[in-house]
Structure formats: structure tokens, C-alpha cells
Amino acid sequence: MEHVEFYKRFPLLVPETLDPFKADGYIETPEGERVRITIDASSTHGTYCVDIKISQFYGQIVKECDEKVGWDRVESFDKKTQIMTLKLKDASGRDHSVYVDLASNVFSSNVEEHSVSMEGTKLTRYLETLEQRCEQLAECWDLLDDVDSTLCVLQPQHPKRHELWRRIAVTDLATALIDVSPDRSYPKIIVYGPRSISDTFNAKAKAARTKWSTSKSARQNIETILQCTLPSTSFDQKDIKLECGVCFAFTSEHETADQICANDVCAQPFHRKCLVQWLASKEDTRQSFATLFGKCPYCSGNITVASS
């Protein structure tokens, strides 16, 4: 209770820890000047410095933590970045991090991709919105957690909660994009690879997409839909042909190498932009409307790509 009374008296101070007692923020002098102060009960001296800039929402955030949010939800406060981190546990028991950025005056979290301005949005309202979003995405996260633990996931390498997709290995020449949404009862599955392989898999996925069963695991469902046995998590990703044949990278500007040479013997993947630049530099490349027709950089077989 003594800490609560302390923050009521000095509402511009934000706690870092309660034991030992540490706080960082501002106090007002009798002349009305705001002075930056750091309090550290574990040392013999506090550290003081004159304030240069203070968020106009400092007092509001401290008041909300005092009256509604609760200081027990505050995990840390970085005095250098001016970011307060709060913890949020959803109904499924998952832990999420909420960031109060007092330097940029925005809220953000690992649940949503975009930040929200503090202008017109209170912390309590932002937390309520996140809790609703967590409830909405609970089943999607259950499915993706299952995918992450049982299948060979290629992308994203370190998934965030707002990333509702996975790219998994299907064969050494084919990968599948698994896209989930709370608005669909089953995930969207698109297979990338040589046409002779991907066309067959995608036809199966389209025909059986409504057969997804919540009583089965993600692996069981996908294997049933694609009618194949998927690689395990121990599958050597080096055996999969994924790197672009032009830039030799897996991704470029978040774009995967999903343009595949139609020659099954070659089946070299390319980023669309890389392939467009390559073909555009060749004299024998033809263009019809927005499509380029040229030769594969590897096997010299015919290859086409949309230029935009």
C-alpha cells in the first residue's frame, strides 16, 4: 500500500520493480518545473537528470495502472527507450506482451501487427481490445501451435502471434502455404513447386478443403487433404530446393521464391522480381501485355512470369 500512496503523490513516476524498490520518471518542483529522477533502493544514491522531453500521456498511464490496470501487470520499464512492458494472459493461458511506448506515444503488442496511438485511446481500452482479439484468434493459434510442433515449418522462422500463416515442406521440390483465419472453419492451403507437382496437390486441396476436421491434428488433416505423408520436424531443410536461382536467397523483401521453372528436371525456384529483372535484361525475351516470355537462367527452357 505504501507504494500506491507514493505513486498517488508522484503520478509521473513509473515503477520498474517493487522489491528492491526502483522507479523512473519525473517530479514537479514547487516552481512547476519537471525534473527527471531515477530511484534505486538497492543502491545508496539515486540518479538525477534534468528532463528534456516528457510524454503528455505519462500521468494518464500511471493513473490507469493505479486505478484499473494494476501495477502487478507491469513487468518492466526501460528508462532509455521509455517503453513500459505489461503482461497479458488470455483465456487459453497464453502469455502476451503489451508495450506502452512513451517516447512515440503508441501502444503495441505481439498480438497485433500495427501500433495504436495513445491519442484518443486509453490503456484500459487497448487491453480490452487485445483480450477480445485473443479470444477471437484462440482456435487459430491452437492450429498453428500444432503445425509448429509437428511439421517442418520453413517460414516464418520466428513467428509472431499476429502472423497467421506458415510455409511448410511437402516434398523436396514442393512447399505449402497454410493460411488460417478466424473467419474460416478451415485453413487455406496453396502448394508451390513444379507445375507437375503443385497442380496435382492444389487440385486435391481444392476438392477436399471442406473435409478439415477439428477432431484431427493439423498433420492428419493436411495429409488427408493432400493425400501424402508430410516431412517431420527433423526433416533436413537443406534438401528442399527453395533458394532463388538469381539472388540465391530464400526470401527477398518478404517474398518467397515461388516462381518455378516448368521443366521438372530443373524445377529451379525464383523470386518474381528477380526473374523479371533477369528476363528484362535478355534480348531474346518477349513481352505480351504484363507477361514476360523467356528462357530459364538454369536450363534454358521456356519460362514465363507476370511483370507486375
Side-chain angles (χ1 to χ4, degrees):
M1 290 298 295
E2 59 182 2
H3 295 310
V4 173
E5 293 300 319
F6 181 87
Y7 291 122
K8 284 183 178 180
R9 184 176 179 184
F10 303 104
L12 299 182
L13 278 174
V14 177
E16 292 186 35
T17 62
L18 297 180
D19 187 18
F21 178 60
K22 296 181 181 180
D24 184 89
Y26 302 83
I27 61 172
E28 288 192 355
T29 67
E31 293 76 23
E33 179 185 2
R34 285 178 176 173
V35 177
R36 177 71 176 275
I37 181 172
T38 297
I39 301 176
D40 186 350
S42 64
S43 61
T44 58
H45 297 89
T47 303
Y48 302 82
C49 64
V50 178
D51 170 39
I52 298 176
K53 182 180 180 181
I54 181 172
S55 169
Q56 65 188 92
F57 301 101
Y58 226 114
Q60 172 188 311
I61 297 300
V62 171
K63 184 178 180 181
E64 289 190 83
C65 287
D66 186 19
E67 298 179 352
K68 295 183 179 181
V69 176
W71 292 110
D72 58 325
R73 297 180 68 173
V74 178
E75 289 189 316
S76 64
F77 182 79
D78 191 319
K79 57 187 177 183
K80 292 183 178 179
T81 62
Q82 295 291 288
I83 294 178
M84 176 193 291
T85 303
L86 291 82
K87 56 186 177 182
L88 172 66
K89 186 180 289 292
D90 64 24
S92 300
R94 294 185 179 89
D95 291 318
H96 306 281
S97 295
V98 180
Y99 307 104
V100 181
D101 189 337
L102 291 164
S104 302
N105 294 333
V106 295
F107 300 120
S108 62
S109 73
N110 64 334
V111 177
E112 295 283 6
E113 182 176 4
H114 303 291
S115 60
V116 175
S117 172
M118 294 181 188
E119 189 71 45
T121 303
K122 291 188 175 181
L123 176 59
T124 49
R125 177 55 184 160
Y126 181 69
L127 291 174
E128 289 171 359
T129 301
L130 286 183
E131 289 171 351
Q132 294 170 3
R133 183 61 173 167
C134 288
E135 183 178 355
Q136 183 184 31
L137 295 176
E139 292 185 1
C140 293
W141 289 338
D142 288 341
L143 192 158
L144 291 173
D145 287 346
D146 189 10
V147 168
D148 291 337
S149 62
T150 62
L151 298 175
C152 180
V153 177
L154 305 172
Q155 287 182 300
Q157 293 183 347
H158 304 287
K160 298 179 176 60
R161 282 300 179 190
H162 64 77
E163 294 175 316
L164 302 180
W165 62 276
R166 298 291 187 271
R167 191 179 179 100
I168 65 169
V170 178
T171 71
D172 59 343
L173 293 176
T175 64
L177 178 68
I178 312 299
D179 184 87
V180 302
S181 169
D183 300 325
R184 293 192 305 268
S185 59
Y186 53 86
K188 182 188 294 183
I189 303 175
I190 303 176
V191 177
Y192 295 94
R195 291 287 299 275
S196 60
I197 299 176
S198 62
D199 284 356
T200 302
F201 277 130
N202 285 323
K204 293 177 181 178
K206 183 177 180 180
R209 64 178 182 266
T210 59
K211 294 183 180 180
W212 188 278
S213 172
T214 55
S215 63
K216 296 181 180 180
S217 67
R219 170 180 283 277
Q220 290 173 326
N221 274 298
I222 298 173
E223 289 183 337
T224 298
I225 290 173
L226 297 182
Q227 299 175 31
C228 71
T229 300
L230 296 171
S232 65
T233 54
S234 60
F235 184 76
D236 191 348
Q237 297 185 15
K238 294 180 181 179
D239 293 335
I240 308 175
K241 209 171 188 178
L242 295 172
E243 289 78 15
C244 172
V246 175
C247 72
F248 305 109
F250 182 32
T251 59
S252 175
E253 298 179 0
H254 304 293
E255 177 185 324
T256 55
D258 56 9
Q259 303 297 310
I260 312 296
C261 176
N263 181 353
D264 290 348
V265 178
C266 177
Q268 176 63 48
F270 303 93
H271 297 122
R272 187 188 63 79
K273 291 182 179 179
C274 292
L275 186 56
V276 167
Q277 291 175 0
W278 174 275
L279 294 179
S281 68
K282 301 303 176 182
E283 293 181 357
D284 57 350
T285 297
R286 296 181 298 104
Q287 182 169 358
S288 176
F289 297 99
T291 302
L292 295 176
F293 299 83
K295 301 296 183 180
C296 172
Y298 276 65
C299 69
S300 297
N302 294 329
I303 193 168
T304 62
V305 62
S307 61
S308 60

